[in-house]
Amino acid sequence: MSTPAITLWSDANYFSPYVMSVYVALQEKGLDFSLKTIDLSSGEHLKPGWRGFDSTRRVPLLQVGDFFLSESSAIAEYLEERFAPPVWSRLYPHELEKRARARQVQAWLRSDLMPIREERPTEVVFAGEKKAPLSEAGRRAADKLFALAQSLLVEGQQNLFGEWSIADTDLALMLNRLVLNGDAVPERLADYAAFQWQRASVQRFIALSAKHPG
């Protein structure tokens, strides 16, 4: 089945967790796409002329034919509808309530837990950097993450909803900010994150970031 040309814009180092989420989504859909980068450190994304300038001026930016879209969770939902099952693989659970819960997880990870994101940037995940012990705010955020993740993850399951979804990748990345820094993480959650990290689509993105260190 023919599809329009697809391009994904990323940060130059491939350190963005949100670019990773879209990259994994495209890979899981089995879609052919091109990768382009924009240098965030030099402010290239804030200059007129870049295709994302008239959007949110952030990555990821997805181009499908003549259509441009930013914000990773919006992109994932667009891809699920534009390249819908059963022809293309699912990004979200089949059941309505589970699908809604997966989107809730995505929204939560993007809007909460700021101390973890600040104290455990993705340089920890993709470049092997080590950071100082968590602050009190960081520990509270980590405890909240652990409590909610354990409430979502059914004992004995390796995916949140009994089948893989893009929310699994997003949650695993948040957990691995801590795991890969050497912070104490409940064993069940560390095992879950390690399992999700071995998914082929995730490993392909990690290989990209390894080739473009900060």
Side-chain angles (χ1 to χ4, degrees):
M1 183 179 297
S2 62
T3 59
I6 300 173
T7 301
L8 172 62
W9 290 84
S10 170
D11 59 298
N13 297 326
Y14 298 98
F15 281 3
S16 167
Y18 311 117
V19 170
M20 176 179 171
S21 186
V22 174
Y23 179 95
V24 167
L26 289 164
Q27 289 277 333
E28 294 289 339
K29 284 288 185 186
L31 294 166
D32 291 328
F33 62 98
S34 301
L35 274 169
K36 293 186 178 181
T37 60
I38 193 87
D39 187 356
L40 305 184
S41 63
S42 69
E44 188 178 1
H45 59 303
L46 302 176
K47 298 176 182 177
W50 178 51
R51 297 309 299 262
F53 184 81
D54 294 326
S55 185
T56 58
R57 304 180 189 179
R58 302 200 299 183
V59 295
L61 177 73
L62 185 75
Q63 178 182 1
V64 179
D66 295 327
F67 177 66
F68 291 84
L69 185 66
S70 62
E71 299 304 313
S72 58
S73 58
I75 292 171
E77 293 187 27
Y78 167 74
L79 290 173
E80 186 77 329
E81 295 184 19
R82 175 66 177 79
F83 304 99
V87 177
W88 284 275
S89 299
R90 290 186 179 279
L91 299 178
Y92 292 94
H94 177 72
E95 293 180 21
L96 175 62
E97 287 75 16
K98 290 182 178 180
R99 193 160 63 246
R101 188 72 70 199
R103 288 170 172 152
Q104 173 190 304
V105 170
Q106 288 189 291
W108 168 55
L109 292 171
R110 286 159 172 73
S111 61
D112 201 351
L113 309 172
M114 181 58 76
I116 296 176
R117 287 184 275 152
E118 289 179 341
E119 297 178 35
R120 297 293 180 266
T122 51
E123 284 80 0
V124 169
V125 176
F126 299 122
E129 292 186 11
K130 301 298 181 184
K131 300 297 181 181
L134 290 169
S135 66
E136 181 60 32
R139 288 193 295 272
R140 287 196 301 268
D143 288 343
K144 182 179 183 181
L145 171 63
F146 301 154
L148 293 179
Q150 289 186 110
S151 73
L152 289 165
L153 185 62
V154 175
E155 190 74 41
Q157 287 191 358
Q158 295 176 312
N159 300 305
L160 289 175
F161 306 107
E163 57 184 312
W164 178 86
S165 77
I166 192 63
D168 285 299
T169 297
D170 291 347
L171 179 57
L173 191 146
M174 184 63 78
L175 289 167
N176 272 332
R177 291 173 184 264
L178 300 164
V179 172
L180 297 176
N181 192 69
D183 298 301
V185 175
E187 183 177 4
R188 185 159 71 97
L189 296 181
D191 289 346
Y192 161 80
F195 176 79
Q196 295 297 331
W197 222 236
Q198 293 309 308
R199 199 167 183 90
S201 55
V202 173
Q203 285 295 308
R204 291 187 189 107
F205 185 82
I206 293 170
L208 283 174
S209 61
K211 291 179 182 178
H212 300 83

